[in-house]
């Protein structure tokens, strides 16, 4: 095959045109594109001059497809396969319908080449399907699928985005072209788009006067509450790995997602270089550039959220361009880089509508939920103490709760006052409790200045005052004080330290009911911290401040006497 060979392609699940842009830049004719979501169709048509209409691809008749097709590409919906969807509990059978439809089209058209993109999990689905006679995909095993999970940052996009690529195009041919690409970073994009006079696309090289660059409307900076919630979700998440906050500029960005709010673990957050201590999220243009779309590309959504969704669902045209060149047999020596073709790009006649970015919420319903892990009591893998509210009652209920286990097997210990009852008679730990009494009384006096419902009103922005995050921090500080007193009480007495560990394990075992105990090693490792957290949680949850009946708490199926047998009073 030659560089100038003429190829005809069909684009299934076309979205906003990530596949079509790469194909067309490589000189491949896109004979037909199929998509169902109208905002994506508007963007596809606006940039490619087409007249694509909404189509339910599942119901697409194979007889209505064009003939003599050399290449079939597409990105079937990934929602049901994504681990971001209900923790990976999507309807796999529902998602399978689109995979089957894609391969039915390929099998019907019999193109020389085909390629499909999806979330990484689909790689396992495809491999299992092609190997299992009873699987719906087994009948397509003859299509010669080569399945890999790739990172698009290695193929020109300034974004670390891992995706499954299944194709019969040799991966060696695609990877051979990437060696001519210079890695791009989040900082490359941010600085390039901030130029004052001429904007030079950091990926494609095309330039525009700064006045003609669209989609650069910035959100108001994150407020103190939003900043706290974003930082906690990224740096102190109780289950998932930590993220950098703010996002690092000297590396490809994290994955640009389709759904994210001003308070979200997934949001990419920048430190504003113009205002010290100020942080903001990405503009639409920055999102598009990180996804590999040129600065000339327009996003015809009706809102900021709609544009963010269409960009987050797209495939980077940087990758689709390289794949298209590989299909045409272009060699590394013939490949001139992205700039060579990028300089041919220009703005479409109609520019995208201006859509105001999201703003910080001014007020929320009184039912607004709250949950935040206590500082000093976050142990990862799901084990943590947190403060949360319950608005299902006439008066808001605020409780400290203790969770342990794993991300897929979380268990809870009720903090109902039993631990403090257990330990008051203990010579060592009981003494530590009495030493902490002054701090507890001081905090209780502060709480009397408000009520649970007043705290809820502040959280809903219906009134002003010290909100629940201040309470979270105070409880975390109190836990640190109690922990210091416990450590001083234990001292170098290894026997007592072991007794504390066994006491914590006994409580966790009782909370596990008929299940085997989990996280025993972590409970042992942090036993003195867990004990401090249980004491603080017990104390807070049983304050008269709550004005709650005792039936709020479930029984832990153990008595103080039983616990004291595990953690006896030293002679």
């Amino acid at each position: 095959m030659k560089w100038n060979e003429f190829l005809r392609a069909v684009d299934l699940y076309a979205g906003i045109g990530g596949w079509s842009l790469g194909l067309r830049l490589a000189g491949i004719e896109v004979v037909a594109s199929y998509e169902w979501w109208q905002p994506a169709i508007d963007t596809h048509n606006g940039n490619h001059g087409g007249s694509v209409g909404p189509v339910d691809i599942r119901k697409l008749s194979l007889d209505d497809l064009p003939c003599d097709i050399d290449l079939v590409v597409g990105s079937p919906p990934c929602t049901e396969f994504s681990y971001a969807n209900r923790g990976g509990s999507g309807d796999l059978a529902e998602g399978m319908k689109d995979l089957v439809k894609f391969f039915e089209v390929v099998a019907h058209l019999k193109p020389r080449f085909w390629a499909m993109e999806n979330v990484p999990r689909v790689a396992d689905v495809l491999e299992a399907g092609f190997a299992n006679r009873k699987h719906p995909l087994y009948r397509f095993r003859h299509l010669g699928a080569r399945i890999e999970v790739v990172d698009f940052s290695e193929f020109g996009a300034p974004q670390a985005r891992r995706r499954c690529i299944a194709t019969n195009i040799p991966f060696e041919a695609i990877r051979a072209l990437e060696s001519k690409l210079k890695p791009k970073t989040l900082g490359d994009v941010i600085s390039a788009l901030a130029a004052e006079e001429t904007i030079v696309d950091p990926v494609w090289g095309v330039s525009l006067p700064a006045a003609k660059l669209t989609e650069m409307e910035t959100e108001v900076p994150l407020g103190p509450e939003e900043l706290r919630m974003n930082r906690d979700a990224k740096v102190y998440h109780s289950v998932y790995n930590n993220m950098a906050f703010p996002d690092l500029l000297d590396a490809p960005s994290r994955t640009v997602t389709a759904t994210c709010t001003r308070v979200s673990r997934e949001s990419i957050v920048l430190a504003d270089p113009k205002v010290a201590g100020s942080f903001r999220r990405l503009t639409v243009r920055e999102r598009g550039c990180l996804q590999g779309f040129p600065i000339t590309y327009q996003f015809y959504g009706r809102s900021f959220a709609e544009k963010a969704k269409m960009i987050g669902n797209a495939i980077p045209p940087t990758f689709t361009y390289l794949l298209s060149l590989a299909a045409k047999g272009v060699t590394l020596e013939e490949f001139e880089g992205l700039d060579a073709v990028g300089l041919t790009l220009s703005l479409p006649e109609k520019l995208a509508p201006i859509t105001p970015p999201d703003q910080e919420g001014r007020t929320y319903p009184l039912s607004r939920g709250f949950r935040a892990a206590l500082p000093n009591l976050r142990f990862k893998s799901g084990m943590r103490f947190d403060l949360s509210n319950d608005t299902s009652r006439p008066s808001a209920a605020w409780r400290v709760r203790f969770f342990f286990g794993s991300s897929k097997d979380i268990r809870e210990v009720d903090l109902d006052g039993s631990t403090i009852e257990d330990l008051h008679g203990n010579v060592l730990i009981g003494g530590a409790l009495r030493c902490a009494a002054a701090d507890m009384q001081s905090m209780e006096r502060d709480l009397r200045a408000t009520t649970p419902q007043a705290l809820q009103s502040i959280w809903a922005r219906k009134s002003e005052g010290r909100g629940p995050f201040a309470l979270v921090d105070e409880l975390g500080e109190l836990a640190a004080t109690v922990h210091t007193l416990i450590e001083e009480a234990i001292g170098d007495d290894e026997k007592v330290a072991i007794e504390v560990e066994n006491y914590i394990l006994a409580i966790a075992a009782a909370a596990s009911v008929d299940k085997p105990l989990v996280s025993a090693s972590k409970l042992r490792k942090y036993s003195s911290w867990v004990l401090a957290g249980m004491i603080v949680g017990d104390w807070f949850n049983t304050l008269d401040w709550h004005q709650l009946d005792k039936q709020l708490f479930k029984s832990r199926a153990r008595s103080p006497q039983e616990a004291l047998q595990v953690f006896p009073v030293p002679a």
Side-chain angles (χ1 to χ4, degrees):
M1 286 179 284
K2 303 296 182 182
W3 165 243
N4 60 356
E5 182 176 1
F6 181 76
L7 297 181
R8 288 160 50 88
V10 165
D11 185 1
L12 297 171
Y13 306 96
I16 62 174
W19 277 108
S20 287
L21 180 59
L23 292 166
R24 289 192 164 111
L25 288 175
I28 296 175
E29 180 187 5
V30 181
V31 178
S33 296
Y34 301 94
E35 173 58 39
W36 67 272
W37 189 40
Q38 191 60 55
I41 292 169
D42 294 340
T43 295
H44 193 289
N45 289 339
N47 286 280
H48 297 284
S51 56
V52 175
V55 173
D56 184 344
I57 300 175
R58 291 183 180 180
K59 298 178 181 178
L60 181 64
S61 172
L62 298 178
D63 293 333
D64 292 337
L65 292 166
C67 302
D68 301 322
I69 297 302
D70 303 290
L71 176 60
V72 174
V73 298
S75 299
C78 64
T79 304
E80 303 301 341
F81 296 106
S82 174
Y83 283 111
N85 177 27
R86 291 169 285 172
S89 300
D91 188 338
L92 300 187
E94 187 66 19
M96 187 64 63
K97 294 177 183 178
D98 292 296
L99 298 184
V100 168
K101 186 65 178 186
F102 177 86
F103 286 115
E104 281 181 347
V105 171
V106 174
H108 174 76
L109 292 177
K110 297 180 174 61
R112 281 190 284 171
F113 301 112
W114 62 268
M116 184 191 74
E117 176 250 3
N118 218 291
V119 293
R121 186 183 188 184
V122 171
D124 293 333
V125 173
L126 296 178
E127 289 175 355
F130 294 144
N132 183 354
R133 291 179 177 275
K134 296 182 179 180
H135 198 280
L137 295 177
Y138 184 73
R139 61 191 170 106
F140 304 114
R141 66 193 183 284
H142 66 283
L143 295 176
R146 305 183 186 196
I147 304 166
E148 284 197 23
V149 174
V150 304
D151 185 340
F152 288 143
S153 68
E154 298 175 359
F155 298 88
Q159 173 195 180
R161 186 182 188 88
R162 297 179 70 252
R163 287 294 185 269
C164 165
I165 299 296
T167 182
N168 67 342
I169 301 171
F171 271 100
E172 313 86 74
I174 305 172
R175 291 192 178 280
L177 302 177
E178 72 170 283
S179 62
K180 209 169 248 188
L181 301 179
K182 180 181 178 182
K184 301 294 182 180
T185 67
L186 172 60
D188 291 336
V189 170
I190 301 305
S191 60
L193 298 182
E196 295 183 359
E197 296 183 3
T198 301
I199 309 297
V200 179
D201 193 304
V203 176
W204 296 97
V206 61
S207 62
L208 286 176
K212 291 191 174 182
L213 184 67
T214 61
E215 311 286 19
M216 282 299 288
E217 294 78 21
T218 58
E219 291 181 335
V220 296
L222 295 173
E225 180 184 286
E226 294 174 319
L227 197 58
R228 170 67 181 265
M229 295 172 75
N230 274 290
R231 181 182 283 111
D232 280 8
K234 292 176 172 61
V235 180
Y236 301 116
H237 199 281
S238 59
V239 177
Y240 304 115
N241 292 332
N242 292 348
M243 295 178 175
F245 186 90
D247 282 80
L248 303 176
L249 296 178
D250 59 355
S253 78
R254 290 185 293 103
T255 300
V256 175
T257 57
T259 304
C260 60
T261 61
R262 284 177 62 85
V263 176
S264 169
R265 176 174 162 86
E266 288 74 29
S267 289
I268 297 171
V269 177
L270 307 174
D272 192 338
K274 298 180 181 179
V275 184
S278 180
F279 300 84
R280 69 170 178 87
R281 297 196 306 156
L282 298 174
T283 66
V284 169
R285 178 57 57 195
E286 289 165 344
R287 294 169 191 263
C289 198
L290 290 172
Q291 193 69 300
F293 285 89
I295 58 176
T296 54
Y297 214 80
Q298 301 296 295
F299 305 102
Y300 299 95
R302 296 162 295 185
S303 67
F304 180 94
E306 202 166 72
K307 291 178 179 179
K309 179 180 178 180
M310 64 173 65
I311 293 171
N313 280 334
I315 181 172
T318 43
F319 177 80
T320 64
Y321 177 60
L322 297 182
L323 180 142
S324 300
L325 294 182
K328 295 187 69 171
V330 176
T331 65
L332 178 61
E333 293 71 25
E334 295 170 316
F335 178 46
E336 299 178 345
L338 301 180
D339 286 9
V341 69
L343 296 176
T344 66
L345 294 165
S346 61
L347 286 169
E349 290 184 8
K350 179 184 176 183
L351 299 182
I354 296 175
T355 48
D358 294 345
Q359 302 293 316
E360 183 177 10
R362 295 182 179 179
T363 184
Y364 298 90
L366 276 172
S367 59
R368 186 187 186 193
F370 179 88
R371 170 167 288 181
L374 305 187
N376 304 311
L377 298 173
R378 300 174 280 216
F379 310 107
K380 303 301 291 183
S381 299
M383 194 167 98
R384 82 276 186 189
F385 288 81
D386 66 33
L387 176 70
S388 61
N389 62 355
D390 178 1
T391 59
S392 64
R393 296 166 173 267
S395 179
W398 295 85
R399 290 181 59 195
V400 172
R401 306 172 73 181
F402 173 49
F403 299 93
F404 69 98
S406 66
S407 59
K408 295 185 178 180
D409 186 10
I410 296 290
R411 303 178 190 180
E412 180 180 359
V413 171
D414 270 333
L415 304 179
D416 58 1
S418 299
T419 297
I420 290 181
E421 288 182 23
D422 287 353
L423 300 179
H424 262 305
N426 186 286
V427 174
L428 292 178
I429 308 302
L433 288 177
R434 287 186 285 276
C435 290
D439 294 282
M440 292 177 173
Q441 291 168 0
S442 175
M443 188 172 172
E444 184 176 5
R445 283 194 296 271
D446 292 340
L447 278 171
R448 288 174 188 162
T450 183
T451 65
Q453 198 60 31
L455 187 64
Q456 183 65 32
S457 179
I458 293 169
W459 178 237
R461 302 277 185 89
K462 307 293 186 186
S463 58
E464 296 183 355
R466 297 176 74 250
F469 275 115
L471 179 56
V472 164
D473 290 340
E474 290 175 1
L475 290 168
E477 291 173 8
L478 180 59
T481 298
V482 173
H483 176 258
T484 298
L485 294 171
I486 290 173
E487 288 289 286
E488 290 175 352
I490 294 173
D492 297 327
D493 194 327
E494 185 176 347
K495 179 181 177 182
V496 176
I498 293 175
E499 288 174 346
V500 169
E501 293 176 7
N502 290 336
Y503 175 75
I504 296 300
L505 292 177
I507 292 177
S512 298
V513 193
D514 297 326
K515 296 180 179 179
L517 180 63
V518 293
S519 298
S521 60
K522 179 166 282 193
L523 289 165
R524 282 189 181 278
K525 179 179 179 180
Y526 296 107
S527 58
S528 59
W529 276 109
V530 171
L531 183 60
M534 292 178 67
I535 289 169
V536 170
D538 265 19
W539 166 79
F540 175 78
N541 288 349
T542 55
L543 289 174
D544 291 338
W545 176 79
H546 296 282
Q547 304 168 358
L548 297 173
D549 59 62
K550 295 298 182 182
Q551 300 197 358
L552 176 68
F553 303 103
K554 296 174 291 185
S555 170
R556 273 196 268 162
R558 101 190 196 289
S559 68
Q561 290 72 25
E562 291 170 326
L564 286 172
Q565 291 177 1
V566 179
F567 188 22
V569 178

